Amino acid sequence: MKKYSNKIFFLLLTCSILVSCNDDFLDIVPKGSQVAGSTEDYDLLLNNPTYYFHSTGGWQAPRWMGDEIAADAHDVYSYDIQAKLLFQWEDEIYPTEDDRAWDLRNGLSRVYTLNKVINQVMGAEEGTEAEKMALQAEAKSNRAFEYFQFINFYAKPYSASTASSDLGFPIITTPDIYENNFTRASVQEVYDFIIEDLMSSIEYLPMERSFNTRFTKPATKGFLAKIYMFMGRFDEALPLLNEAFDDLSSSTNPPSLYDYNVEYAAGGSFLPISPYDGPNGPGNDPYDFQESVLARVCYSGPYSGNGAGNEGLVLSPEAASLYESSDLRLNVYSDTYGDYSLDINPNGVLRKYGILYTRYGLELSELYLLRAECKARLNDLSGAVADVKFLREKRMPVADAEVPASIVSDQVGLIKFILEERIREFATEGYRWFDMRRLSVDSNTELANTVKYTHNLYDYVDGETVVLETFTLRPERLTLRIPQAYIDQNPNMENNP
């Protein structure tokens, strides 16, 4: 981060001054004002931390909605009311007295600026045509990334049979803050918009960047493949995943997986393991991008006024049972309370104390798991086994990393195992919520049935662990309601049920 010039800090300060907290969709800067003048200005603008680090928003909300979590009432059950509303899958998750729609508010702010870049960079001063095209392509890729979050928060999961009629999200391509006549495009139209942004960007993007926070060819190809997988178009996703890996292998400084067998051994970089804060690993370092194909980071620690905190958020017993005892990913979990007392939690639940920062852009580990699932879906079972085994060998002793022999020739069993590996790799970090949505409409009933629809609130009473309350997820709450303030500002917009 120290490499940024003073010029970017001026731009960031300017942007911060211009950002408004009004609930209007695009009430951010005066109409027609420029965010930059020269090509270099636009380049520096895309280095803005708003695109890759979020103290509010990001995947703070999805962390509380996945079916792999539970909550521990004794461990505060969060200081933040929104966390409770999310965990209980309530209809209204944004407290009326305190609008916490950070994901929407901040995302729309970024879309506004990205639209400025897309529409104006080709007329920037200085710079070559190729440099301007690359910046425009990068802004489009960033816009596609924002819309992927919008459509997976505020619209139904993609289903080819209903996507053309399901309500999606407004498609905004011009930076006009005075417009308040937004209507919701269909889910299909939004996915088509995302795909067009990404496909039209690939040829103009560089193969690699100095910073993993910037879009590149392999990052865009990998992300487009993920979009296709969320649409069930696995045959279109796999070639892109292969190309992304090929591009990374030819890069001079590609991301690489940490080998936990090395990093947790004597002298390893993840040591020491603090009894209070967990390992000295990337989960506690927001600027460790070694495994990031595209770095996007959001804060996932205790509540301090900056979004839903993690107090009381624990791994469900069913999810905990997915880990082998030798799995070194267990080192980021603790069986103590989160109050720094180091008291052992008698409920027997694990909290993820070694991940204060969630990476949710495109991690190399996810790229391997996406390709493994894609291969399994297309019946390349040996290829799928090879990809998931490669990741597992970096996370546990090699002798324990084998895929169970009973499923290596069982297509559905192998896909389930890969989906469980996604839980083992990303539990409590929001990934599962997105998987639940796409799996809920999977044409394979066995895979659709892997989605669980209950959350348990645990406590310890009279020497026994008890379930105080169970909350049930209704299918319509796989889609969040848009905050009413935004609906009120746009009279032609319909809210979700």
Side-chain angles (χ1 to χ4, degrees), residues 426-442:
F426 301 116
T428 80
E429 296 185 54
Y431 285 75
R432 181 60 183 172
W433 170 251
F434 290 83
D435 284 347
M436 288 168 60
R437 282 173 44 87
R438 67 185 177 101
L439 290 169
S440 72
V441 293
D442 200 290

PDB file of all heavy atoms in Angstrom, residues 426-442:
ATOM      1  N   PHE A 426     -14.125 -22.440   3.601  1.00  0.00           N
ATOM      2  CA  PHE A 426     -14.657 -21.076   3.743  1.00  0.00           C
ATOM      3  C   PHE A 426     -15.741 -20.940   4.807  1.00  0.00           C
ATOM      4  O   PHE A 426     -16.469 -19.938   4.814  1.00  0.00           O
ATOM      5  CB  PHE A 426     -15.233 -20.608   2.406  1.00  0.00           C
ATOM      6  CG  PHE A 426     -14.243 -20.588   1.274  1.00  0.00           C
ATOM      7  CD1 PHE A 426     -14.403 -21.418   0.174  1.00  0.00           C
ATOM      8  CD2 PHE A 426     -13.156 -19.729   1.296  1.00  0.00           C
ATOM      9  CE1 PHE A 426     -13.506 -21.396  -0.888  1.00  0.00           C
ATOM     10  CE2 PHE A 426     -12.245 -19.688   0.241  1.00  0.00           C
ATOM     11  CZ  PHE A 426     -12.419 -20.533  -0.850  1.00  0.00           C
ATOM     12  N   ALA A 427     -15.889 -21.884   5.702  1.00  0.00           N
ATOM     13  CA  ALA A 427     -16.988 -21.852   6.680  1.00  0.00           C
ATOM     14  C   ALA A 427     -17.039 -20.528   7.428  1.00  0.00           C
ATOM     15  O   ALA A 427     -16.019 -19.936   7.764  1.00  0.00           O
ATOM     16  CB  ALA A 427     -16.839 -23.001   7.673  1.00  0.00           C
ATOM     17  N   THR A 428     -18.247 -20.065   7.679  1.00  0.00           N
ATOM     18  CA  THR A 428     -18.598 -18.849   8.429  1.00  0.00           C
ATOM     19  C   THR A 428     -18.148 -17.566   7.737  1.00  0.00           C
ATOM     20  O   THR A 428     -18.203 -16.503   8.344  1.00  0.00           O
ATOM     21  CB  THR A 428     -18.038 -18.860   9.875  1.00  0.00           C
ATOM     22  OG1 THR A 428     -16.657 -18.488   9.870  1.00  0.00           O
ATOM     23  CG2 THR A 428     -18.213 -20.205  10.555  1.00  0.00           C
ATOM     24  N   GLU A 429     -17.733 -17.633   6.474  1.00  0.00           N
ATOM     25  CA  GLU A 429     -17.249 -16.441   5.787  1.00  0.00           C
ATOM     26  C   GLU A 429     -18.192 -15.944   4.691  1.00  0.00           C
ATOM     27  O   GLU A 429     -17.847 -15.029   3.937  1.00  0.00           O
ATOM     28  CB  GLU A 429     -15.862 -16.704   5.212  1.00  0.00           C
ATOM     29  CG  GLU A 429     -14.821 -16.969   6.291  1.00  0.00           C
ATOM     30  CD  GLU A 429     -13.422 -17.121   5.723  1.00  0.00           C
ATOM     31  OE1 GLU A 429     -12.966 -16.227   4.988  1.00  0.00           O
ATOM     32  OE2 GLU A 429     -12.784 -18.156   6.004  1.00  0.00           O
ATOM     33  N   GLY A 430     -19.392 -16.521   4.582  1.00  0.00           N
ATOM     34  CA  GLY A 430     -20.379 -16.026   3.629  1.00  0.00           C
ATOM     35  C   GLY A 430     -20.508 -16.837   2.357  1.00  0.00           C
ATOM     36  O   GLY A 430     -21.521 -16.738   1.663  1.00  0.00           O
ATOM     37  N   TYR A 431     -19.513 -17.646   2.034  1.00  0.00           N
ATOM     38  CA  TYR A 431     -19.552 -18.417   0.789  1.00  0.00           C
ATOM     39  C   TYR A 431     -20.748 -19.361   0.729  1.00  0.00           C
ATOM     40  O   TYR A 431     -21.350 -19.558  -0.332  1.00  0.00           O
ATOM     41  CB  TYR A 431     -18.271 -19.237   0.637  1.00  0.00           C
ATOM     42  CG  TYR A 431     -17.053 -18.447   0.242  1.00  0.00           C
ATOM     43  CD1 TYR A 431     -16.387 -17.639   1.164  1.00  0.00           C
ATOM     44  CD2 TYR A 431     -16.540 -18.518  -1.046  1.00  0.00           C
ATOM     45  CE1 TYR A 431     -15.249 -16.928   0.814  1.00  0.00           C
ATOM     46  CE2 TYR A 431     -15.397 -17.807  -1.410  1.00  0.00           C
ATOM     47  CZ  TYR A 431     -14.767 -17.010  -0.475  1.00  0.00           C
ATOM     48  OH  TYR A 431     -13.641 -16.302  -0.839  1.00  0.00           O
ATOM     49  N   ARG A 432     -21.062 -19.969   1.852  1.00  0.00           N
ATOM     50  CA  ARG A 432     -22.107 -20.984   1.856  1.00  0.00           C
ATOM     51  C   ARG A 432     -23.465 -20.401   1.488  1.00  0.00           C
ATOM     52  O   ARG A 432     -24.286 -21.071   0.858  1.00  0.00           O
ATOM     53  CB  ARG A 432     -22.163 -21.663   3.233  1.00  0.00           C
ATOM     54  CG  ARG A 432     -23.214 -22.759   3.355  1.00  0.00           C
ATOM     55  CD  ARG A 432     -23.028 -23.889   2.374  1.00  0.00           C
ATOM     56  NE  ARG A 432     -24.115 -24.870   2.500  1.00  0.00           N
ATOM     57  CZ  ARG A 432     -24.299 -25.885   1.675  1.00  0.00           C
ATOM     58  NH1 ARG A 432     -23.485 -26.077   0.657  1.00  0.00           N
ATOM     59  NH2 ARG A 432     -25.325 -26.716   1.857  1.00  0.00           N
ATOM     60  N   TRP A 433     -23.724 -19.157   1.865  1.00  0.00           N
ATOM     61  CA  TRP A 433     -25.006 -18.534   1.525  1.00  0.00           C
ATOM     62  C   TRP A 433     -25.207 -18.516   0.016  1.00  0.00           C
ATOM     63  O   TRP A 433     -26.283 -18.845  -0.499  1.00  0.00           O
ATOM     64  CB  TRP A 433     -25.064 -17.113   2.089  1.00  0.00           C
ATOM     65  CG  TRP A 433     -26.232 -16.314   1.598  1.00  0.00           C
ATOM     66  CD1 TRP A 433     -26.212 -15.268   0.727  1.00  0.00           C
ATOM     67  CD2 TRP A 433     -27.604 -16.492   1.957  1.00  0.00           C
ATOM     68  NE1 TRP A 433     -27.483 -14.786   0.513  1.00  0.00           N
ATOM     69  CE2 TRP A 433     -28.358 -15.524   1.260  1.00  0.00           C
ATOM     70  CE3 TRP A 433     -28.265 -17.386   2.801  1.00  0.00           C
ATOM     71  CZ2 TRP A 433     -29.732 -15.422   1.380  1.00  0.00           C
ATOM     72  CZ3 TRP A 433     -29.647 -17.281   2.920  1.00  0.00           C
ATOM     73  CH2 TRP A 433     -30.353 -16.305   2.215  1.00  0.00           C
ATOM     74  N   PHE A 434     -24.168 -18.171  -0.725  1.00  0.00           N
ATOM     75  CA  PHE A 434     -24.269 -18.133  -2.170  1.00  0.00           C
ATOM     76  C   PHE A 434     -24.449 -19.542  -2.738  1.00  0.00           C
ATOM     77  O   PHE A 434     -25.215 -19.749  -3.690  1.00  0.00           O
ATOM     78  CB  PHE A 434     -23.025 -17.468  -2.766  1.00  0.00           C
ATOM     79  CG  PHE A 434     -22.952 -15.998  -2.484  1.00  0.00           C
ATOM     80  CD1 PHE A 434     -22.451 -15.530  -1.280  1.00  0.00           C
ATOM     81  CD2 PHE A 434     -23.387 -15.069  -3.416  1.00  0.00           C
ATOM     82  CE1 PHE A 434     -22.384 -14.175  -1.006  1.00  0.00           C
ATOM     83  CE2 PHE A 434     -23.325 -13.714  -3.162  1.00  0.00           C
ATOM     84  CZ  PHE A 434     -22.825 -13.260  -1.948  1.00  0.00           C
ATOM     85  N   ASP A 435     -23.756 -20.524  -2.142  1.00  0.00           N
ATOM     86  CA  ASP A 435     -23.932 -21.908  -2.585  1.00  0.00           C
ATOM     87  C   ASP A 435     -25.337 -22.412  -2.276  1.00  0.00           C
ATOM     88  O   ASP A 435     -25.935 -23.147  -3.078  1.00  0.00           O
ATOM     89  CB  ASP A 435     -22.900 -22.810  -1.914  1.00  0.00           C
ATOM     90  CG  ASP A 435     -21.512 -22.669  -2.520  1.00  0.00           C
ATOM     91  OD1 ASP A 435     -21.398 -22.071  -3.610  1.00  0.00           O
ATOM     92  OD2 ASP A 435     -20.537 -23.141  -1.900  1.00  0.00           O
ATOM     93  N   MET A 436     -25.877 -22.060  -1.127  1.00  0.00           N
ATOM     94  CA  MET A 436     -27.241 -22.465  -0.780  1.00  0.00           C
ATOM     95  C   MET A 436     -28.232 -21.988  -1.824  1.00  0.00           C
ATOM     96  O   MET A 436     -29.136 -22.741  -2.231  1.00  0.00           O
ATOM     97  CB  MET A 436     -27.624 -21.893   0.588  1.00  0.00           C
ATOM     98  CG  MET A 436     -26.946 -22.534   1.774  1.00  0.00           C
ATOM     99  SD  MET A 436     -27.205 -21.547   3.282  1.00  0.00           S
ATOM    100  CE  MET A 436     -29.005 -21.573   3.418  1.00  0.00           C
ATOM    101  N   ARG A 437     -28.062 -20.757  -2.250  1.00  0.00           N
ATOM    102  CA  ARG A 437     -28.996 -20.188  -3.232  1.00  0.00           C
ATOM    103  C   ARG A 437     -28.955 -20.984  -4.541  1.00  0.00           C
ATOM    104  O   ARG A 437     -29.993 -21.404  -5.048  1.00  0.00           O
ATOM    105  CB  ARG A 437     -28.642 -18.719  -3.485  1.00  0.00           C
ATOM    106  CG  ARG A 437     -29.103 -17.772  -2.390  1.00  0.00           C
ATOM    107  CD  ARG A 437     -28.583 -16.359  -2.625  1.00  0.00           C
ATOM    108  NE  ARG A 437     -28.703 -15.933  -4.004  1.00  0.00           N
ATOM    109  CZ  ARG A 437     -29.786 -15.364  -4.547  1.00  0.00           C
ATOM    110  NH1 ARG A 437     -30.856 -15.163  -3.795  1.00  0.00           N
ATOM    111  NH2 ARG A 437     -29.804 -14.997  -5.814  1.00  0.00           N
ATOM    112  N   ARG A 438     -27.764 -21.205  -5.077  1.00  0.00           N
ATOM    113  CA  ARG A 438     -27.705 -21.891  -6.372  1.00  0.00           C
ATOM    114  C   ARG A 438     -28.095 -23.358  -6.242  1.00  0.00           C
ATOM    115  O   ARG A 438     -28.731 -23.924  -7.141  1.00  0.00           O
ATOM    116  CB  ARG A 438     -26.321 -21.743  -6.995  1.00  0.00           C
ATOM    117  CG  ARG A 438     -25.167 -22.431  -6.292  1.00  0.00           C
ATOM    118  CD  ARG A 438     -23.832 -22.099  -6.946  1.00  0.00           C
ATOM    119  NE  ARG A 438     -22.686 -22.682  -6.271  1.00  0.00           N
ATOM    120  CZ  ARG A 438     -22.051 -23.786  -6.678  1.00  0.00           C
ATOM    121  NH1 ARG A 438     -22.465 -24.415  -7.769  1.00  0.00           N
ATOM    122  NH2 ARG A 438     -21.010 -24.240  -6.022  1.00  0.00           N
ATOM    123  N   LEU A 439     -27.754 -23.983  -5.118  1.00  0.00           N
ATOM    124  CA  LEU A 439     -28.115 -25.388  -4.931  1.00  0.00           C
ATOM    125  C   LEU A 439     -29.610 -25.567  -4.707  1.00  0.00           C
ATOM    126  O   LEU A 439     -30.175 -26.613  -5.040  1.00  0.00           O
ATOM    127  CB  LEU A 439     -27.337 -25.974  -3.754  1.00  0.00           C
ATOM    128  CG  LEU A 439     -25.839 -26.160  -3.977  1.00  0.00           C
ATOM    129  CD1 LEU A 439     -25.140 -26.497  -2.665  1.00  0.00           C
ATOM    130  CD2 LEU A 439     -25.566 -27.240  -5.022  1.00  0.00           C
ATOM    131  N   SER A 440     -30.260 -24.560  -4.150  1.00  0.00           N
ATOM    132  CA  SER A 440     -31.695 -24.675  -3.863  1.00  0.00           C
ATOM    133  C   SER A 440     -32.515 -24.868  -5.129  1.00  0.00           C
ATOM    134  O   SER A 440     -33.636 -25.390  -5.077  1.00  0.00           O
ATOM    135  CB  SER A 440     -32.186 -23.438  -3.098  1.00  0.00           C
ATOM    136  OG  SER A 440     -32.231 -22.298  -3.952  1.00  0.00           O
ATOM    137  N   VAL A 441     -31.976 -24.463  -6.284  1.00  0.00           N
ATOM    138  CA  VAL A 441     -32.701 -24.621  -7.553  1.00  0.00           C
ATOM    139  C   VAL A 441     -31.983 -25.620  -8.466  1.00  0.00           C
ATOM    140  O   VAL A 441     -32.244 -25.661  -9.667  1.00  0.00           O
ATOM    141  CB  VAL A 441     -32.863 -23.264  -8.271  1.00  0.00           C
ATOM    142  CG1 VAL A 441     -33.790 -22.351  -7.480  1.00  0.00           C
ATOM    143  CG2 VAL A 441     -31.511 -22.582  -8.490  1.00  0.00           C
ATOM    144  N   ASP A 442     -31.072 -26.417  -7.890  1.00  0.00           N
ATOM    145  CA  ASP A 442     -30.343 -27.396  -8.694  1.00  0.00           C
ATOM    146  C   ASP A 442     -31.310 -28.460  -9.218  1.00  0.00           C
ATOM    147  O   ASP A 442     -32.203 -28.911  -8.510  1.00  0.00           O
ATOM    148  CB  ASP A 442     -29.244 -28.054  -7.853  1.00  0.00           C
ATOM    149  CG  ASP A 442     -28.168 -28.702  -8.699  1.00  0.00           C
ATOM    150  OD1 ASP A 442     -28.464 -29.737  -9.336  1.00  0.00           O
ATOM    151  OD2 ASP A 442     -27.043 -28.170  -8.745  1.00  0.00           O
TER     152      ASP A 442
END
